[in-house]
Amino acid sequence: MLLQSGVYGFVSGTLDSGDSLALSCAGFAAATVLFNAVLLVRRLRGTGRGSGAATGPGATGLLLAMNVVTAVTFLSFYASLTWVPATLATGVETAVGPAVLALLGLAGRGRRASRQGWCAAGGLVLLGIALAHRFTEGGAFGPGLVAGLGLALAAGVGAPVLALVSAELGRRGVDPVYVTAHRFHLTYLASGVLLLTVGGPSGDGTGRLPGLLFTGVLAVTLPLFWLQTGLQRTDPMVAMVLLTTLPGITYLAECAFHGSFDAVSLALICALVVVALWYVRVSAKAAPAPDAGQAPGGSAESGASSSSVASTSSPSPAPSSSPTSSETFQV
Protein backbone atom coordinates (compact mmCIF):
# COMPACT_ATOMS: atom_id res chain seq x y z
CA MET A 1 0.00 0.00 0.00
CA LEU A 2 2.86 2.39 0.77
CA LEU A 3 4.40 1.87 -2.66
CA GLN A 4 1.11 1.95 -4.54
CA SER A 5 -0.25 5.09 -2.89
CA GLY A 6 3.08 6.88 -3.24
CA VAL A 7 3.00 6.34 -7.00
CA TYR A 8 -0.65 7.44 -7.09
CA GLY A 9 0.36 10.71 -5.46
CA PHE A 10 3.19 11.14 -7.97
CA VAL A 11 0.98 10.70 -11.07
CA SER A 12 -2.01 12.60 -9.67
CA GLY A 13 -3.11 15.37 -12.01
CA THR A 14 -0.63 14.35 -14.72
CA LEU A 15 -2.69 11.75 -16.61
CA ASP A 16 -5.22 12.09 -19.38
CA SER A 17 -7.44 9.20 -20.47
CA GLY A 18 -4.81 7.81 -22.84
CA ASP A 19 -2.05 8.00 -20.23
CA SER A 20 -4.26 6.29 -17.65
CA LEU A 21 -5.04 3.42 -20.00
CA ALA A 22 -1.40 3.12 -21.05
CA LEU A 23 -0.34 2.93 -17.40
CA SER A 24 -2.94 0.23 -16.74
CA CYS A 25 -1.96 -1.79 -19.80
CA ALA A 26 1.76 -1.58 -19.00
CA GLY A 27 1.41 -2.45 -15.31
CA PHE A 28 -0.98 -5.35 -15.66
CA ALA A 29 0.78 -6.82 -18.69
CA ALA A 30 4.11 -6.59 -16.84
CA ALA A 31 2.60 -8.41 -13.85
CA THR A 32 1.31 -11.18 -16.08
CA VAL A 33 4.62 -11.62 -17.90
CA LEU A 34 6.73 -11.46 -14.73
CA PHE A 35 4.77 -13.96 -12.66
CA ASN A 36 4.21 -16.37 -15.53
CA ALA A 37 7.99 -16.30 -15.93
CA VAL A 38 8.35 -17.12 -12.23
CA LEU A 39 6.01 -20.09 -12.66
CA LEU A 40 7.98 -21.25 -15.70
CA VAL A 41 11.28 -21.06 -13.80
CA ARG A 42 9.77 -23.03 -10.91
CA ARG A 43 8.52 -25.68 -13.30
CA LEU A 44 11.89 -25.99 -15.06
CA ARG A 45 13.72 -26.26 -11.75
CA GLY A 46 11.22 -28.75 -10.40
CA THR A 47 10.55 -26.55 -7.36
CA GLY A 48 7.01 -25.58 -8.27
CA ARG A 49 3.98 -27.25 -6.82
CA GLY A 50 1.87 -29.68 -8.81
CA SER A 51 -0.88 -28.32 -10.98
CA GLY A 52 -3.60 -29.47 -8.61
CA ALA A 53 -1.93 -27.80 -5.64
CA ALA A 54 -1.20 -24.64 -7.60
CA THR A 55 -4.78 -24.10 -8.67
CA GLY A 56 -6.71 -25.77 -5.86
CA PRO A 57 -10.17 -27.33 -6.18
CA GLY A 58 -12.61 -25.20 -8.16
CA ALA A 59 -10.13 -22.33 -8.52
CA THR A 60 -10.62 -21.90 -12.28
CA GLY A 61 -14.07 -20.38 -11.90
CA LEU A 62 -12.85 -18.10 -9.11
CA LEU A 63 -9.97 -16.89 -11.28
CA LEU A 64 -12.37 -16.19 -14.16
CA ALA A 65 -14.56 -14.15 -11.82
CA MET A 66 -11.48 -12.41 -10.50
CA ASN A 67 -10.46 -11.44 -14.05
CA VAL A 68 -13.82 -9.74 -14.60
CA VAL A 69 -13.96 -7.94 -11.24
CA THR A 70 -10.29 -6.92 -11.46
CA ALA A 71 -10.83 -5.36 -14.88
CA VAL A 72 -13.89 -3.41 -13.75
CA THR A 73 -12.31 -2.29 -10.47
CA PHE A 74 -8.90 -1.17 -11.65
CA LEU A 75 -9.91 0.29 -15.01
CA SER A 76 -12.60 2.29 -13.20
CA PHE A 77 -10.09 3.55 -10.65
CA TYR A 78 -7.39 4.53 -13.15
CA ALA A 79 -9.98 6.19 -15.38
CA SER A 80 -11.23 8.21 -12.38
CA LEU A 81 -7.75 9.76 -12.03
CA THR A 82 -8.42 11.60 -15.28
CA TRP A 83 -11.11 13.74 -13.63
CA VAL A 84 -10.47 13.78 -9.87
CA PRO A 85 -7.34 13.99 -7.66
CA ALA A 86 -5.81 10.68 -6.62
CA THR A 87 -6.49 11.38 -2.94
CA LEU A 88 -10.19 11.89 -3.62
CA ALA A 89 -10.37 8.76 -5.81
CA THR A 90 -8.66 6.56 -3.22
CA GLY A 91 -10.67 8.14 -0.40
CA VAL A 92 -14.01 7.40 -2.05
CA GLU A 93 -12.96 3.91 -3.16
CA THR A 94 -11.65 2.78 0.22
CA ALA A 95 -14.35 4.49 2.29
CA VAL A 96 -17.21 2.53 0.74
CA GLY A 97 -15.39 -0.82 0.69
CA PRO A 98 -16.13 -1.95 4.28
CA ALA A 99 -19.80 -0.95 3.95
CA VAL A 100 -20.15 -2.95 0.72
CA LEU A 101 -18.47 -5.92 2.41
CA ALA A 102 -20.87 -5.69 5.37
CA LEU A 103 -23.85 -5.64 2.99
CA LEU A 104 -22.47 -8.66 1.14
CA GLY A 105 -22.29 -10.44 4.49
CA LEU A 106 -26.01 -9.80 5.01
CA ALA A 107 -26.61 -11.34 1.58
CA GLY A 108 -24.74 -14.48 2.62
CA ARG A 109 -21.53 -13.65 0.76
CA GLY A 110 -18.79 -13.89 3.35
CA ARG A 111 -18.95 -13.53 7.10
CA ARG A 112 -21.51 -11.21 8.69
CA ALA A 113 -20.01 -7.99 10.02
CA SER A 114 -19.86 -7.46 13.79
CA ARG A 115 -21.37 -4.44 15.50
CA GLN A 116 -17.92 -2.85 15.51
CA GLY A 117 -17.62 -3.62 11.81
CA TRP A 118 -20.87 -1.81 11.05
CA CYS A 119 -19.77 1.17 13.16
CA ALA A 120 -16.44 1.33 11.36
CA ALA A 121 -18.11 0.98 7.95
CA GLY A 122 -20.62 3.74 8.71
CA GLY A 123 -17.96 6.06 10.06
CA LEU A 124 -15.75 5.52 7.05
CA VAL A 125 -18.59 6.26 4.63
CA LEU A 126 -19.36 9.54 6.44
CA LEU A 127 -15.69 10.52 6.41
CA GLY A 128 -15.48 9.62 2.72
CA ILE A 129 -18.47 11.90 1.99
CA ALA A 130 -16.86 14.69 4.00
CA LEU A 131 -13.59 14.23 2.13
CA ALA A 132 -15.35 14.29 -1.24
CA HIS A 133 -17.19 17.47 -0.23
CA ARG A 134 -13.96 19.11 0.87
CA PHE A 135 -12.19 18.35 -2.39
CA THR A 136 -15.13 19.49 -4.52
CA GLU A 137 -15.97 22.58 -2.45
CA GLY A 138 -15.80 25.70 -4.58
CA GLY A 139 -15.14 23.67 -7.70
CA ALA A 140 -17.28 23.26 -10.77
CA PHE A 141 -19.59 20.28 -10.28
CA GLY A 142 -19.51 19.28 -13.91
CA PRO A 143 -19.78 16.05 -15.88
CA GLY A 144 -16.08 15.28 -15.42
CA LEU A 145 -16.32 15.39 -11.64
CA VAL A 146 -19.47 13.27 -11.63
CA ALA A 147 -17.82 10.73 -13.93
CA GLY A 148 -14.71 10.60 -11.75
CA LEU A 149 -16.67 10.08 -8.54
CA GLY A 150 -18.88 7.46 -10.20
CA LEU A 151 -15.87 5.50 -11.41
CA ALA A 152 -14.27 5.69 -7.96
CA LEU A 153 -17.49 4.34 -6.43
CA ALA A 154 -17.51 1.49 -8.95
CA ALA A 155 -13.96 0.65 -7.91
CA GLY A 156 -15.06 0.79 -4.27
CA VAL A 157 -17.76 -1.81 -4.93
CA GLY A 158 -15.35 -4.09 -6.77
CA ALA A 159 -12.57 -3.99 -4.17
CA PRO A 160 -14.44 -5.91 -1.40
CA VAL A 161 -15.53 -8.54 -3.93
CA LEU A 162 -11.86 -9.02 -4.78
CA ALA A 163 -11.10 -9.35 -1.07
CA LEU A 164 -13.72 -12.08 -0.68
CA VAL A 165 -12.53 -13.99 -3.74
CA SER A 166 -8.91 -13.67 -2.58
CA ALA A 167 -9.79 -15.03 0.86
CA GLU A 168 -11.54 -17.98 -0.76
CA LEU A 169 -8.55 -18.66 -3.01
CA GLY A 170 -6.36 -18.56 0.08
CA ARG A 171 -8.65 -21.03 1.84
CA ARG A 172 -8.28 -23.38 -1.12
CA GLY A 173 -4.49 -23.13 -0.97
CA VAL A 174 -3.94 -21.36 -4.29
CA ASP A 175 -0.45 -19.90 -4.69
CA PRO A 176 -0.52 -16.03 -4.84
CA VAL A 177 2.10 -16.20 -7.61
CA TYR A 178 -0.30 -18.32 -9.67
CA VAL A 179 -3.17 -15.90 -8.94
CA THR A 180 -1.13 -12.84 -9.94
CA ALA A 181 0.02 -14.58 -13.13
CA HIS A 182 -3.56 -15.24 -14.26
CA ARG A 183 -5.87 -12.58 -12.78
CA PHE A 184 -5.00 -9.68 -15.10
CA HIS A 185 -5.56 -11.13 -18.59
CA LEU A 186 -8.88 -9.36 -19.14
CA THR A 187 -7.56 -6.14 -17.60
CA TYR A 188 -4.59 -5.58 -19.90
CA LEU A 189 -6.58 -6.74 -22.95
CA ALA A 190 -9.45 -4.36 -22.18
CA SER A 191 -7.14 -1.44 -21.40
CA GLY A 192 -5.22 -2.13 -24.63
CA VAL A 193 -8.39 -2.08 -26.72
CA LEU A 194 -9.59 1.11 -25.02
CA LEU A 195 -6.14 2.65 -25.50
CA LEU A 196 -6.35 2.04 -29.25
CA THR A 197 -9.86 3.51 -29.23
CA VAL A 198 -8.76 6.82 -27.68
CA GLY A 199 -5.71 7.05 -29.92
CA GLY A 200 -2.94 6.13 -27.47
CA PRO A 201 -1.15 8.16 -24.80
CA SER A 202 -0.68 11.90 -25.25
CA GLY A 203 2.57 13.35 -26.62
CA ASP A 204 5.43 11.12 -27.67
CA GLY A 205 3.97 7.73 -26.72
CA THR A 206 7.03 5.78 -27.86
CA GLY A 207 9.44 7.98 -25.94
CA ARG A 208 7.33 7.80 -22.79
CA LEU A 209 6.85 4.04 -22.91
CA PRO A 210 9.83 3.18 -20.64
CA GLY A 211 8.63 5.67 -18.03
CA LEU A 212 5.05 4.35 -18.19
CA LEU A 213 6.30 0.78 -17.90
CA PHE A 214 8.47 1.63 -14.89
CA THR A 215 5.60 3.49 -13.24
CA GLY A 216 3.27 0.57 -13.99
CA VAL A 217 5.63 -1.86 -12.28
CA LEU A 218 5.80 0.37 -9.18
CA ALA A 219 2.08 1.19 -9.09
CA VAL A 220 0.64 -2.17 -10.17
CA THR A 221 2.96 -5.14 -10.61
CA LEU A 222 4.83 -5.25 -7.30
CA PRO A 223 2.26 -3.81 -4.85
CA LEU A 224 -0.62 -5.91 -6.20
CA PHE A 225 1.36 -9.12 -5.76
CA TRP A 226 2.16 -8.25 -2.15
CA LEU A 227 -1.45 -7.14 -1.63
CA GLN A 228 -2.74 -10.38 -3.15
CA THR A 229 -0.57 -12.39 -0.77
CA GLY A 230 -1.89 -10.40 2.18
CA LEU A 231 -5.54 -10.65 1.11
CA GLN A 232 -5.28 -14.44 0.92
CA ARG A 233 -4.09 -14.53 4.54
CA THR A 234 -6.31 -11.89 6.14
CA ASP A 235 -9.94 -11.50 7.12
CA PRO A 236 -11.61 -9.49 4.29
CA MET A 237 -13.12 -6.85 6.61
CA VAL A 238 -9.80 -6.23 8.33
CA ALA A 239 -8.13 -5.96 4.92
CA MET A 240 -10.72 -3.51 3.56
CA VAL A 241 -10.55 -1.33 6.67
CA LEU A 242 -6.76 -1.22 6.50
CA LEU A 243 -7.01 -0.12 2.86
CA THR A 244 -8.64 3.11 4.06
CA THR A 245 -5.15 4.31 4.99
CA LEU A 246 -4.38 4.58 1.26
CA PRO A 247 -5.73 8.13 0.78
CA GLY A 248 -3.63 9.45 3.66
CA ILE A 249 -0.41 8.16 2.15
CA THR A 250 -1.53 9.30 -1.30
CA TYR A 251 -2.23 12.80 0.00
CA LEU A 252 1.17 13.05 1.67
CA ALA A 253 2.76 11.94 -1.61
CA GLU A 254 0.72 14.54 -3.52
CA CYS A 255 1.91 17.23 -1.12
CA ALA A 256 5.52 16.10 -1.49
CA PHE A 257 5.48 15.90 -5.30
CA HIS A 258 3.08 18.72 -6.19
CA GLY A 259 3.28 21.13 -3.25
CA SER A 260 -0.43 21.30 -2.38
CA PHE A 261 -1.65 21.12 1.21
CA ASP A 262 -4.97 21.52 2.99
CA ALA A 263 -5.16 21.07 6.77
CA VAL A 264 -8.85 20.09 6.82
CA SER A 265 -8.37 17.40 4.15
CA LEU A 266 -5.41 16.01 6.07
CA ALA A 267 -7.46 15.96 9.28
CA LEU A 268 -10.26 14.01 7.56
CA ILE A 269 -7.75 11.54 6.17
CA CYS A 270 -6.17 11.11 9.60
CA ALA A 271 -9.66 10.40 10.97
CA LEU A 272 -10.04 7.66 8.33
CA VAL A 273 -6.79 6.13 9.54
CA VAL A 274 -7.84 6.35 13.22
CA VAL A 275 -11.15 4.58 12.53
CA ALA A 276 -9.32 1.90 10.56
CA LEU A 277 -6.77 1.26 13.31
CA TRP A 278 -9.52 1.23 15.96
CA TYR A 279 -11.43 -1.45 14.10
CA VAL A 280 -8.35 -3.61 13.56
CA ARG A 281 -7.56 -3.31 17.28
CA VAL A 282 -11.03 -4.32 18.49
CA SER A 283 -11.18 -7.07 15.85
CA ALA A 284 -7.92 -8.55 17.14
CA LYS A 285 -9.18 -8.41 20.73
CA ALA A 286 -12.46 -10.09 19.81
CA ALA A 287 -10.79 -12.90 17.87
CA PRO A 288 -10.94 -16.28 19.63
CA ALA A 289 -7.72 -17.79 20.90
CA PRO A 290 -6.10 -20.19 18.41
CA ASP A 291 -6.57 -23.90 18.87
CA ALA A 292 -3.79 -25.88 20.47
CA GLY A 293 -3.12 -27.52 17.11
CA GLN A 294 -2.95 -24.26 15.20
CA ALA A 295 0.30 -23.69 13.37
CA PRO A 296 2.42 -20.78 14.59
CA GLY A 297 2.07 -17.55 12.69
CA GLY A 298 -1.70 -17.77 12.18
CA SER A 299 -3.52 -14.48 11.78
CA ALA A 300 -5.06 -13.36 15.05
CA GLU A 301 -7.19 -10.72 13.38
CA SER A 302 -9.01 -13.16 11.12
CA GLY A 303 -10.55 -15.09 14.01
CA ALA A 304 -10.30 -18.23 11.89
CA SER A 305 -8.30 -21.41 12.18
CA SER A 306 -4.84 -21.77 10.70
CA SER A 307 -6.00 -23.44 7.53
CA SER A 308 -7.98 -20.35 6.60
CA VAL A 309 -4.75 -18.43 6.49
CA ALA A 310 -3.83 -20.57 3.50
CA SER A 311 -0.11 -21.01 3.80
CA THR A 312 1.27 -21.00 0.28
CA SER A 313 3.67 -23.80 1.15
CA SER A 314 0.86 -26.22 1.93
CA PRO A 315 0.28 -28.72 -0.89
CA SER A 316 -3.46 -28.66 -0.42
CA PRO A 317 -5.97 -26.87 1.80
CA ALA A 318 -7.34 -28.62 4.83
CA PRO A 319 -11.06 -28.32 5.52
CA SER A 320 -11.72 -25.85 8.31
CA SER A 321 -13.37 -22.56 9.08
CA SER A 322 -12.29 -19.56 7.05
CA PRO A 323 -12.79 -15.80 6.82
CA THR A 324 -14.94 -16.71 3.83
CA SER A 325 -17.02 -19.78 4.33
CA SER A 326 -16.69 -22.66 1.93
CA GLU A 327 -20.26 -22.05 0.77
CA THR A 328 -19.59 -18.45 -0.19
CA PHE A 329 -18.24 -19.09 -3.68
CA GLN A 330 -19.34 -22.34 -5.19
CA VAL A 331 -17.80 -22.55 -8.67
Side-chain angles (χ1 to χ4, degrees):
M1 288 167 49
L2 288 169
L3 180 60
Q4 188 179 45
S5 55
V7 178
Y8 287 165
F10 175 71
V11 303
S12 179
T14 65
L15 303 177
D16 61 14
S17 58
D19 294 330
S20 175
L21 290 169
L23 177 62
S24 301
C25 191
F28 293 116
T32 303
V33 171
L34 175 61
F35 289 99
N36 272 288
V38 172
L39 291 178
L40 178 61
V41 171
R42 284 182 177 180
R43 190 175 300 115
L44 292 175
R45 289 182 176 179
T47 57
R49 304 187 303 172
S51 59
T55 58
T60 302
L62 286 174
L63 285 172
L64 288 174
M66 203 170 201
N67 266 269
V68 175
V69 182
T70 297
V72 172
T73 300
F74 284 97
L75 290 179
S76 296
F77 176 79
Y78 282 109
S80 73
L81 298 181
T82 304
W83 291 289
V84 298
T87 302
L88 177 56
T90 54
V92 171
E93 178 192 22
T94 58
V96 302
V100 172
L101 193 60
L103 292 172
L104 288 172
L106 286 179
R109 299 292 180 179
R111 196 168 58 179
R112 285 179 177 267
S114 64
R115 183 182 63 181
Q116 292 89 347
W118 279 106
C119 291
L124 291 169
V125 168
L126 292 176
L127 288 169
I129 293 173
L131 184 65
H133 179 267
R134 181 67 184 179
F135 271 89
T136 57
E137 192 175 22
F141 200 81
L145 179 62
V146 173
L149 291 175
L151 289 166
L153 282 171
V157 173
V161 177
L162 289 174
L164 284 175
V165 178
S166 295
E168 182 67 9
L169 287 168
R171 189 194 68 80
R172 300 186 186 193
V174 184
D175 189 346
V177 172
Y178 187 89
V179 175
T180 309
H182 295 289
R183 66 173 288 196
F184 298 130
H185 295 307
L186 183 58
T187 308
Y188 67 74
L189 289 173
S191 58
V193 171
L194 292 172
L195 181 61
L196 293 175
T197 303
V198 301
S202 61
D204 181 12
T206 304
R208 298 179 61 195
L209 183 59
L212 283 172
L213 182 60
F214 179 69
T215 305
V217 170
L218 292 180
V220 178
T221 306
L222 295 178
L224 288 186
F225 168 67
W226 290 324
L227 183 60
Q228 181 63 41
T229 304
L231 288 174
Q232 290 187 209
R233 297 169 177 263
T234 311
D235 176 74
M237 180 62 86
V238 171
M240 291 310 303
V241 170
L242 280 175
L243 283 172
T244 60
T245 60
L246 263 173
I249 308 165
T250 302
Y251 185 71
L252 293 176
E254 278 189 292
C255 293
F257 288 115
H258 305 294
S260 60
F261 179 79
D262 177 60
V264 176
S265 298
L266 183 60
L268 290 171
I269 291 167
C270 289
L272 280 170
V273 174
V274 169
V275 172
L277 295 179
W278 166 80
Y279 175 73
V280 173
R281 181 179 177 85
V282 298
S283 177
K285 286 183 175 180
D291 296 335
Q294 179 172 341
S299 172
E301 292 97 318
S302 65
S305 66
S306 60
S307 59
S308 72
V309 180
S311 169
T312 56
S313 63
S314 173
S316 61
S320 69
S321 59
S322 159
T324 308
S325 69
S326 59
E327 293 81 13
T328 300
F329 291 96
Q330 292 295 337
V331 180

